[in-house]
Amino acid sequence: MKILMISAEAVPFAKTGGLADAVSSLAITLSALGHDVKIVMPRYYKVDRRNLTKLAGPMAVAAGSPETWTAVYTAKMPGSENLTVYFIDHEACFGRDGIYGTKAEPDFHDNPYRFAVLCHGAFQLCRKLDWVPDIIHSHDWSAALAPVILKYSCRREVFAKTASVLTIHNLGYQGQYSKDLYPALGLNWELFYGAGLEHNGAFNLLQGGISSADMITTVSPTYAKEIQTREGGFGMDGLLRVRTDVVRGIVNGADLKTWNPATDKLIPANYTAASPGGKAINKVELQKRMGLPVDSAIPIVGIVTRLVSQKGISELFAPTYGCMYKMCTNYTIQFAILGSGERWCENELYALQQKLPNMRVYIGYDEKLSHLIEAGSDFFLMPSQYEPCGLNQMYSQLYGTLPIVRRTGGLADTVENYNEQTGTGTGFVFDDLTPAAVYNTVGWALYTYFNRKEHIKAMQRRGMKKDFSWNTSAERYLAVYKEAKARGC
């Protein structure tokens, strides 16, 4: 099958979050299974042209007025012999710092034009290569214009047998902009309403994609249900319920080459479920690295997160409201925290660290430290408001670190709640996002740690043996592609 992935980001070239990992990992897996896969993305400022190969000739793109002229560069995807990444090069659109925006301008004012160039450019690239995909797979709002273009502009051409799949990685980001910017999309005005783009007098790129795609996927079965509710739908729930027959939830896989305690080069000691001794070494090294008292008997709770409201930071850290201070003072426990985000939360973490000798924080991001936290912690806390898929709860289980999570999205689909009667499960799950619920569930986990050690060991072994490979996810995507072909062509 010929598959074109359209995405604003893909590792190792550009990344703001899990979307970049998912796109590259899925494409690599599909390519390894024998499919003809290509990725098209922007050539951002930090993607050095000197490391790329330029395709001959310019490429005209029907975005904005008049048409836009671009160049195209290519590179092989690291770790894949047959997968090529194509970069649309247009200095005015992509020759700047930031993918969607910067701290000074969080959402670039010309994003509709920028990502219209990407989506129209994807079709022009196929023409330039004389390569017609069976599936155009768009990822998130920044690529959601592609299903609209396919359905209303290209199905009469060489793309008559091409079907579209749109994956929603996070419904909280939709790409909604003023009607004044609509001409930048390179679409007829009749499609403002006709393609389902209009939203409260403005246009919404993700809404257009949801309305037009042959199949819609999201990154876990539970999240697929949640986005069809008023509480989790971010205003799109009604449309998604209308299209519920084409909505599917597929859990992302994990990059097992990078996240594997048996081979991980970023941790001091490797270990397996059958030979877990190295985990204790990592725990000591984590305590030393974070400046925590070295004591193997004290359980460590790890947190690696973006410090934003989605991740439940208020319930943990908000002054006079969050439960972190109470947990650190009432429980025999240590916390190792890595993250960055909202300034109030960063400041509060610094303040808490001054008061609490058993809580240490690193503000920023450090890849090596993130691996050490996964390997050296006993528990990993994720009290998310919503979590479309989540990756750290998967990494945690693979590293024998028991997740403590809220029952939402991919967390609900990938963590088995502890059963006190049988000793089974792979983590501790709670429902209500309140400081009390977080406090009590951490207390439950600690009680089990100190009083049911055989259960803890069994849960660790169970988690480390779970299959989070991308092969399972890729097979489910292939089934969706076949259904999209049947529906769209």
Side-chain angles (χ1 to χ4, degrees):
M1 189 174 285
K2 294 180 179 179
I3 304 157
L4 179 66
M5 300 273 183
I6 307 176
S7 178
E9 48 185 291
V11 293
F13 306 104
K15 175 179 176 177
T16 63
L19 163 64
D21 297 291
V23 169
S24 296
S25 295
L26 176 58
I28 290 170
T29 304
L30 290 169
S31 180
L33 291 173
H35 299 277
D36 185 0
V37 186
K38 303 182 191 302
I39 297 175
V40 59
M41 63 180 292
R43 204 283 303 176
Y44 300 108
Y45 179 78
K46 67 177 183 178
V47 182
D48 195 336
R49 289 192 186 103
R50 292 174 294 182
N51 299 324
L52 309 176
T53 301
K54 188 176 183 180
L55 292 187
M59 186 173 76
V61 176
S65 180
E67 65 189 2
T68 300
W69 288 87
T70 70
V72 179
Y73 289 82
T74 71
K76 287 294 182 182
M77 172 64 75
S80 178
E81 295 181 0
N82 301 316
L83 178 58
T84 300
V85 182
Y86 293 83
F87 299 88
I88 295 179
D89 186 63
H90 187 269
E91 198 69 23
C93 286
F94 308 120
R96 62 184 85 169
D97 291 330
I99 294 177
Y100 311 104
T102 62
K103 285 191 175 181
E105 186 182 5
D107 187 28
F108 288 133
H109 68 281
D110 58 347
N111 273 345
Y113 174 57
R114 297 173 72 236
F115 294 117
V117 169
L118 171 64
C119 292
H120 282 285
F123 290 90
Q124 286 294 80
L125 173 66
C126 294
R127 296 184 182 101
K128 187 178 182 71
L129 299 175
D130 193 23
W131 180 84
V132 180
D134 298 297
I135 296 292
I136 285 181
H137 189 164
S138 299
H139 294 269
D140 261 357
W141 70 268
S142 49
L145 196 62
V148 179
I149 296 169
L150 176 62
K151 182 174 182 178
Y152 293 98
S153 300
C154 293
R155 275 258 165 86
R156 297 181 298 275
E157 305 176 19
V158 295
F159 301 99
K161 295 185 179 180
T162 299
S164 63
V165 174
L166 172 65
T167 294
I168 301 169
H169 293 263
N170 190 331
L171 191 63
Y173 302 94
Q174 299 181 4
Q176 183 163 319
Y177 297 94
S178 167
K179 184 178 181 179
D180 296 339
L181 298 176
Y182 182 80
L185 300 185
L187 298 176
N188 294 330
W189 270 104
E190 65 187 28
L191 296 180
F192 182 75
Y193 293 101
L197 287 158
E198 189 276 335
H199 185 83
N200 295 332
F203 65 88
N204 184 307
L205 294 173
L206 186 61
Q207 179 177 292
I210 293 171
S211 300
S212 302
D214 295 310
M215 292 292 294
I216 300 161
T217 70
T218 191
V219 290
S220 69
T222 296
Y223 192 57
K225 297 174 183 176
E226 289 174 347
I227 62 176
Q228 296 181 63
T229 67
R230 184 174 181 181
E231 295 75 18
F234 288 92
M236 293 292 107
D237 52 293
L239 176 59
L240 286 162
R241 287 195 297 272
V242 168
R243 302 222 64 204
T244 188
D245 61 320
V246 301
V247 177
R248 304 287 182 271
I250 302 173
V251 173
N252 286 338
D255 179 0
L256 301 184
K257 292 182 180 179
T258 302
W259 294 95
N260 184 342
T263 58
D264 192 338
K265 296 180 180 179
L266 296 181
I267 60 176
N270 296 120
Y271 58 99
T272 65
S275 181
K279 188 166 179 64
I281 297 173
N282 291 307
K283 181 173 182 176
V284 170
E285 292 303 316
L286 176 60
Q287 289 172 324
K288 291 179 180 178
R289 171 68 176 80
M290 297 298 291
L292 291 163
V294 176
D295 188 336
S296 61
I298 298 178
I300 302 178
V301 178
I303 300 175
V304 179
T305 188
R306 289 183 294 117
L307 301 176
V308 295
S309 59
Q310 177 199 336
K311 302 300 183 178
I313 59 172
S314 294
E315 286 70 23
L316 283 176
F317 307 122
T320 73
Y321 176 70
C323 62
M324 180 57 66
Y325 187 87
K326 184 179 178 181
M327 288 193 292
C328 287
T329 52
N330 290 356
Y331 291 148
T332 301
I333 196 171
Q334 293 178 345
F335 280 91
I337 303 169
L338 170 63
S340 63
E342 295 181 17
R343 182 62 59 85
W344 76 262
C345 190
E346 293 181 359
N347 292 338
E348 182 62 20
L349 280 167
Y350 282 133
L352 285 169
Q353 184 172 242
Q354 297 301 313
K355 304 172 186 176
L356 302 169
N358 55 342
M359 191 209 86
R360 288 293 176 264
V361 59
Y362 180 97
I363 298 296
Y365 187 72
D366 184 308
E367 184 72 13
K368 187 174 182 179
L369 180 56
S370 72
H371 283 247
L372 182 58
I373 289 174
E374 288 289 10
S377 299
D378 299 290
F379 302 98
F380 193 95
L381 181 57
M382 295 180 70
S384 302
Q385 288 183 1
Y386 69 96
E387 196 68 56
C389 180
L391 290 172
N392 280 102
Q393 83 279 6
M394 297 188 213
Y395 302 155
S396 297
Q397 290 170 83
L398 294 172
Y399 280 66
T401 299
L402 303 181
I404 302 170
V405 302
R406 180 168 175 258
R407 196 190 311 273
T408 183
L411 304 180
D413 292 323
T414 56
V415 179
E416 302 170 44
N417 199 15
Y418 170 54
N419 186 314
E420 296 179 355
Q421 302 302 315
T422 63
T424 56
T426 60
F428 298 84
V429 183
F430 61 96
D431 292 296
D432 297 327
L433 182 54
T434 64
V438 177
Y439 178 88
N440 290 333
T441 307
V442 171
W444 179 31
L446 294 179
Y447 176 85
T448 308
Y449 179 88
F450 287 115
N451 297 282
R452 303 284 182 86
K453 292 188 181 297
E454 70 283 1
H455 285 188
I456 292 290
K457 291 179 180 178
M459 293 168 72
Q460 289 175 324
R461 289 192 297 269
R462 187 181 183 93
M464 294 182 74
K465 293 178 181 179
K466 294 194 77 169
D467 179 11
F468 291 124
S469 72
W470 268 100
N471 287 336
T472 301
S473 302
E475 291 294 342
R476 290 173 180 164
Y477 271 108
L478 288 170
V480 168
Y481 294 161
K482 291 175 182 177
E483 188 172 354
K485 287 283 288 181
R487 289 175 177 273
C489 305

